[in-house]
Amino acid sequence: LSIGQGGAGEPGGVRCQCSVAPNLGLPTSTPLSQILRGCGQVIFLEDAMQGLLVLLALAWADPMLAAYGLLGSAVATLLSCITGHGGADLGLHGYNSVLIGCAFSIFFPSHGLSDPEMAITIALGAAAAWAAGCVLACIYPVGLGPQWTYGFNIVVIGSLWYAQRARPSAGGPALSPPSSPPTDMEMLLSPLTGVSQIFLVNDAISGFVLLCAIGMGVGGRPDRSTLGSAAYALSGSAIGAAIGMAVVPNDLRTVADGLWGFNACLTSLSVAVCFPRVSWGQLGLSLIGAAASALLGPWVLSPLIERAFGTASFTLPFCITATCTYALGKGLQL
């Protein structure tokens, strides 16, 4: 894989130029393959078959959440085709919109694609995330690397803040952590749950399937690089869980639910993807980045975002930490 930043007409995601075409039985440029790649690009995957596996992981936990994520990617892909923006073939326009679909399905009370209001809300949010990515592509400094999920965070935090002001009962989270203490098995599986929380899913099996999607490689051909990326993702989530257990021993439910692991997982995975050459520097950067991301959310960003906007910090800790690790990795020539 050759990793690079999206070009001038692209939303600045991580672009992987592969010599092997995705093996889904579909031409590379079909709208369906572009939509599926948008789903996979949330975790840096550009193969349509990997994107399909991501959708299956989400559908296992919540079929409607998967449908909303697919709708978000479809809206972004359609807008890219209409406007002629580059990068749609690789799914670079869809990943922020996928996360919008997942987040809105959790944090807005209305559920089900049969509800026109909810479907329209998802479509508008996905379009806003697509537009945010296009704007950031023009202003985001190249030296800071890809845009990560800044576009998603801007739209979801702004939307929930507005929803709470317009209709105080409409913007609150639909799910609240159970008050019962976690079992030993839940704690053991918390790193897998942390992987699933990237998509706002609380399910260890979904996390395992997502790891399989990362490790399977382009065209279903796993290699050392893809398996290593999966290992980095799992280890990052485990580091976040370990930090959570040390920092909040009286609130282990948040650890078991993966809330300490998902930002750390994404940060560690981003290091593996952007700096694929295995080295001690790469390993150290991944570990430091995962730890910093896990601490940045609950200790710094979450209180600030909660106080200012009344929402969670989502993947903003990952964005900030990954920006720093990318710049540091480039400086160290990893």
Side-chain angles (χ1 to χ4, degrees), residues 160-181:
L160 292 177
W161 173 79
Y162 176 79
Q164 291 176 2
R165 288 175 61 88
R167 297 171 58 190
S169 62
L175 301 179
S176 58
S179 57
S180 60

Side-chain angles (χ1 to χ4, degrees), residues 5 19 23 42 167 175 288 315:
Q5 186 182 5
S19 59
N23 183 19
V42 175
R167 297 171 58 190
L175 301 179
I288 294 172
T315 58

Side-chain angles (χ1 to χ4, degrees), residues 60-265:
W60 166 265
D62 186 346
M64 293 313 303
L65 182 142
Y68 285 137
L70 185 64
L71 174 62
S73 183
V75 169
T77 300
L78 176 62
L79 290 172
S80 300
C81 293
I82 293 174
T83 59
H85 277 75
D89 286 349
L90 300 176
L92 297 180
H93 291 277
Y95 65 95
N96 281 313
S97 297
V98 171
L99 289 174
I100 287 293
C102 295
F104 279 19
S105 72
I106 296 296
F107 285 87
F108 281 88
S110 180
H111 293 275
L113 285 176
S114 60
D115 185 344
E117 183 182 39
M118 188 61 185
I120 292 173
T121 301
I122 294 288
L124 292 175
W130 171 85
C134 293
V135 172
L136 287 173
C138 300
I139 64 176
Y140 194 77
V142 176
L144 297 181
Q147 291 178 23
W148 314 115
T149 55
Y150 281 114
F152 158 68
N153 285 283
I154 291 171
V155 173
V156 72
I157 292 174
S159 297
L160 292 177
W161 173 79
Y162 176 79
Q164 291 176 2
R165 288 175 61 88
R167 297 171 58 190
S169 62
L175 301 179
S176 58
S179 57
S180 60
T183 64
D184 292 340
M185 182 57 67
E186 286 178 316
M187 293 301 299
L188 181 64
L189 296 177
S190 61
L192 290 176
T193 307
V195 177
S196 73
Q197 282 285 3
I198 295 171
F199 293 87
L200 289 88
V201 169
N202 186 349
D203 190 276
I205 294 178
S206 294
F208 176 76
V209 177
L210 290 172
L211 284 179
C212 291
I214 297 171
M216 70 182 292
V218 174
R221 299 177 177 87
D223 55 28
R224 180 182 298 179
S225 176
T226 60
L227 294 176
S229 295
Y232 270 58
L234 182 60
S235 64
S237 184
I239 290 171
I243 291 176
M245 286 188 287
V247 172
V248 289
N250 296 324
D251 189 16
L252 294 181
R253 171 51 62 183
T254 59
V255 178
D257 287 345
L259 300 181
W260 283 80
F262 68 97
N263 278 303
C265 170

